[in-house]
Amino acid sequence: MPLIAVDGPAASGKGTIARALGRHFGVPHLDTGALYRAVALSAIRAGLDLGDGRAVGAKAAALDLSLLEDPELRGAQTGEAASRVSALPEVRAALLAFQKAFAAQPAGAVLDGRDIGTVIAPEADAKLFVTAAPEIRAHRRFLELTAAGRDVAEAQVLADIRARDARDMGRSDAPLRQADDADLLDTSELDIAAAVRKAVELVSRQLDRVS
């Protein structure tokens, strides 16, 4: 069964695409960003300094997976904190084994995140790097937040997106980047259905080459 890696920046559509690929190819899906969000949420609730690698890393090592179902996991504060704690080597090391074990399932898997094709599963059978223009991603996130009742300014959402991109791409440990053998999927001008169709097409083509 195939192992599929899907990477990309925030609000690019990679999570939606990865879930759809999991359904299409009949393999389990892991949103690795949710793991970092869960660590961040745990650290916030414990009142930890999000830059304290040792303390936050300890939270990651003892992560309560029930947090993956917590409603606060998708909040803007948690997302911002997740970007910060994901830059900590202690946190990345603690979560590495979990992600690699998920990727190694005999039944296959699809994982989405920021370093799947480069660090977690460089051996993946198919790789996608999903992106979109920052303004497009910010508008999508703005609509999500306002639909959830949040009072936010789109300009601030864009500023947050740009800051998160810089942090994710600039970190020394497993920075966000397109794997050399990953297909690029720009969703700027695509709706969800079209993006999923294109993703299935690209992944199927890659799998045909390795079969």
Side-chain angles (χ1 to χ4, degrees), residues 9-155:
S12 60
K14 67 181 182 298
T16 299
I17 287 170
R19 285 190 295 274
L21 289 172
R23 291 191 297 269
H24 181 85
F25 291 101
V27 296
H29 165 247
L30 176 64
D31 171 4
T32 65
L35 299 176
Y36 290 97
R37 283 174 173 266
V39 172
L41 186 58
S42 178
I44 290 170
R45 289 178 174 173
L48 299 181
D49 174 356
L50 297 181
D52 186 339
R54 179 174 295 182
V56 182
K59 284 293 183 184
L63 185 61
D64 177 3
L65 293 180
S66 69
L67 287 173
L68 295 176
E69 306 300 324
D70 195 295
E72 287 187 38
L73 201 70
R74 295 296 165 186
Q77 180 190 18
T78 307
E80 178 69 14
S83 180
R84 292 178 61 188
V85 304
S86 69
L88 299 173
E90 297 89 344
V91 171
R92 304 198 72 81
L95 296 180
L96 183 66
F98 182 91
Q99 295 173 80
K100 282 187 170 292
F102 191 94
Q105 295 179 89
V110 55
L111 295 85
D112 74 82
R114 286 168 173 74
D115 63 349
I116 308 305
T118 55
V119 175
I120 302 301
E123 75 284 7
D125 302 301
K127 299 179 185 179
L128 290 181
F129 189 85
V130 182
T131 191
E135 295 80 6
I136 297 292
R137 292 187 283 123
H139 185 62
R140 291 172 180 168
R141 182 56 52 83
F142 170 74
L143 293 178
E144 289 175 3
L145 293 172
T146 53
R150 295 284 304 279
D151 182 16
V152 294
E154 188 165 350

Side-chain angles (χ1 to χ4, degrees), residues 9-10 83-84 86 114 163-171 174-176:
S83 180
R84 292 178 61 188
S86 69
R114 286 168 173 74
R164 188 166 180 183
D165 286 351
R167 192 160 52 240
D168 290 344
M169 291 186 288
R171 68 192 182 209
L176 168 67

